[in-house]
């Protein structure tokens, strides 16, 4: 999946849930860009802006696609090093309810 399609998928999932009360950035390790989710307002807003976030998730686009598709377990991905986190890990934990 490319960045545009992945961003649209994240927007669709984020629109279904309540605002997460934090911001999170998915930084793709192979240079495809970023997806920024700002849940500090009344709704989750998803863009491709490279802004400061409460939590940064570093992951490959392929692994992120597998995560969204349900074929990669987030905890397994974290403990095997496929996901690296910078910042508030509690923010990353909120994604389970948002993306399930």
């Amino acid at each position: 999946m490319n960045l545009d399609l992945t961003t649209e998928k994240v927007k669709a999932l984020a629109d279904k849930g309540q605002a997460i009360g934090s911001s999170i950035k998915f930084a793709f390790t192979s240079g495809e860009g970023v997806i920024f989710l700002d849940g500090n307002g009344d709704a989750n807003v998803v863009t491709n802006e490279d802004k400061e976030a409460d939590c940064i998730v570093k992951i490959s686009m392929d692994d992120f696609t597998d995560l969204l598709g349900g074929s990669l377990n987030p905890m397994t991905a974290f403990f095997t090093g496929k996901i690296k986190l910078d910042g508030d890990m509690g923010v990353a934990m909120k994604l389970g309810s948002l993306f399930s």
Side-chain angles (χ1 to χ4, degrees):
M1 215 182 286
N2 67 31
L3 183 62
D4 292 335
L5 291 172
T6 305
T7 302
E8 289 306 313
K9 176 133 181 144
V10 171
K11 280 182 185 177
L13 291 169
D15 286 346
K16 292 179 185 176
Q18 294 181 341
I20 62 172
S22 305
S23 61
I24 190 162
K25 177 170 51 176
F26 300 96
F28 299 108
T29 56
S30 43
E32 289 98 339
V34 302
I35 295 176
F36 183 81
L37 190 153
D38 185 354
N40 286 307
D42 293 335
N44 295 310
V45 178
V46 178
T47 67
N48 294 116
E49 295 178 75
D50 191 1
K51 302 191 312 189
E52 291 292 319
D54 299 315
C55 181
I56 300 169
V57 178
K58 297 176 184 175
I59 187 170
S60 75
M61 180 66 77
D62 289 340
D63 288 338
F64 190 68
T65 300
D66 290 345
L67 246 165
L68 290 178
S71 63
L72 179 61
N73 178 285
M75 294 304 281
T76 301
F78 178 75
F79 287 117
T80 58
K82 291 184 176 190
I83 294 175
K84 293 186 175 36
L85 298 176
D86 286 335
D88 187 346
M89 185 182 277
V91 175
M93 300 302 283
K94 294 178 184 180
L95 293 175
S97 62
L98 188 66
F99 287 169
S100 58

